[in-house]
Amino acid sequence: MLNSIFYKEWLKTRLAVCLIWAATTGVIAYLLLALRSTIATSGAVETIATMLGRDMIFVNLTQFIPLLAGVCLAVVQWLPEMQNKRIKLTLHLPVSYLKSIGLMLCYGIVCLLAMTVVNLGLLWAVETIWLPAELIRHTLLTMLTWYLGGIAGYLLVSWIILEPVWKMRVAAMCMAGPLLALFYLTPQPETYNRFLPILVFLTGICVLLPYYSIYRFKTGKGL
């Protein structure tokens, strides 16, 4: 039963997931080509000196892309469930609704984690050819915060969509905005290094929020 739910989510979102993976990977490829062009024009030594002297990482274009990917995936995955009232069927399957909803959320998180691994893995593999390890670490740690924000965005938008009452939905939006802003206060490289454990903890807390909305939906709170 659980495998069937996972497969159902893939059938429902496969086009969106493939487009998200392709788009984000395409952006990374574009940035790598731009970096390669800069190195070819200015030279590797000059480019590395500029990155060190000006604290540049050449990937600021990607700052909000993981967040956009997470929001899009949440909308594609959950909005049809609510609009077509298919969520009621899911809640009445012969399996705990905690497990079924948990698997659906897990599916979305796994898709975004796969995107993160592919994007950052590609960046690491190619930049290793041109840049020293310290600069690559500098770049990846900075981007990791943005990709974590994408997962948090997915969970928060899922929470908002699953909330059955508009008044509570607006309240959820008001809470989600400032929470997501914590991941994007500054694009300065490695600013968040000391706060990464806190952001991971906050993202873990966000996993519980969709359950709250599902509980309200199942028990008819406010309906």
Side-chain angles (χ1 to χ4, degrees), residues 65-86:
I65 288 179
L67 177 60
L68 181 61
V71 170
C72 289
L73 181 57
V75 170
V76 170
Q77 185 180 9
W78 295 107
L79 195 58
E81 296 285 335
M82 296 298 288
Q83 285 186 334
N84 301 327
K85 303 193 183 301
R86 294 201 298 259

Side-chain angles (χ1 to χ4, degrees), residues 95-108:
V95 64
S96 168
Y97 76 93
L98 296 177
K99 291 183 179 179
S100 59
I101 296 300
L103 189 65
M104 294 169 75
L105 290 171
C106 181
Y107 167 83

Side-chain angles (χ1 to χ4, degrees), residues 31 37 166 175 182:
L31 291 173
S37 176
W166 264 105
M175 292 177 61
L182 292 176

Side-chain angles (χ1 to χ4, degrees), residues 77-217:
Q77 185 180 9
W78 295 107
L79 195 58
E81 296 285 335
M82 296 298 288
Q83 285 186 334
N84 301 327
K85 303 193 183 301
R86 294 201 298 259
I87 195 70
K88 291 183 178 179
L89 177 62
T90 301
L91 297 179
H92 288 87
L93 291 173
V95 64
S96 168
Y97 76 93
L98 296 177
K99 291 183 179 179
S100 59
I101 296 300
L103 189 65
M104 294 169 75
L105 290 171
C106 181
Y107 167 83
I109 294 172
V110 168
C111 287
L112 294 174
L113 285 176
M115 176 192 75
T116 302
V117 170
V118 170
N119 289 181
L120 298 188
L122 175 63
L123 195 74
W124 171 82
V126 178
E127 284 196 345
T128 299
I129 303 172
W130 306 320
L131 302 178
E134 184 61 30
L135 271 179
I136 298 173
R137 173 185 171 277
H138 196 47
T139 300
L140 294 182
L141 281 176
T142 302
M143 296 178 70
L144 185 60
T145 302
W146 304 339
Y147 280 85
L148 190 61
I151 295 175
Y154 164 77
L155 293 169
L156 289 169
V157 173
S158 298
W159 171 40
I160 292 167
I161 294 174
L162 289 170
E163 172 55 47
V165 180
W166 264 105
K167 181 172 66 174
M168 292 296 295
R169 191 174 289 174
V170 171
M173 292 178 187
C174 293
M175 292 177 61
L179 186 56
L180 283 175
L182 292 176
F183 293 82
Y184 301 96
L185 292 176
T186 173
Q188 191 70 19
E190 290 199 74
T191 301
Y192 284 95
N193 281 6
R194 294 183 180 181
F195 300 100
L196 268 177
I198 297 174
L199 295 179
V200 171
F201 174 76
L202 289 176
T203 304
I205 294 296
C206 289
V207 175
L208 303 177
L209 297 175
Y211 280 106
Y212 175 67
S213 290
I214 282 294
Y215 171 77
R216 288 171 52 78
F217 187 93

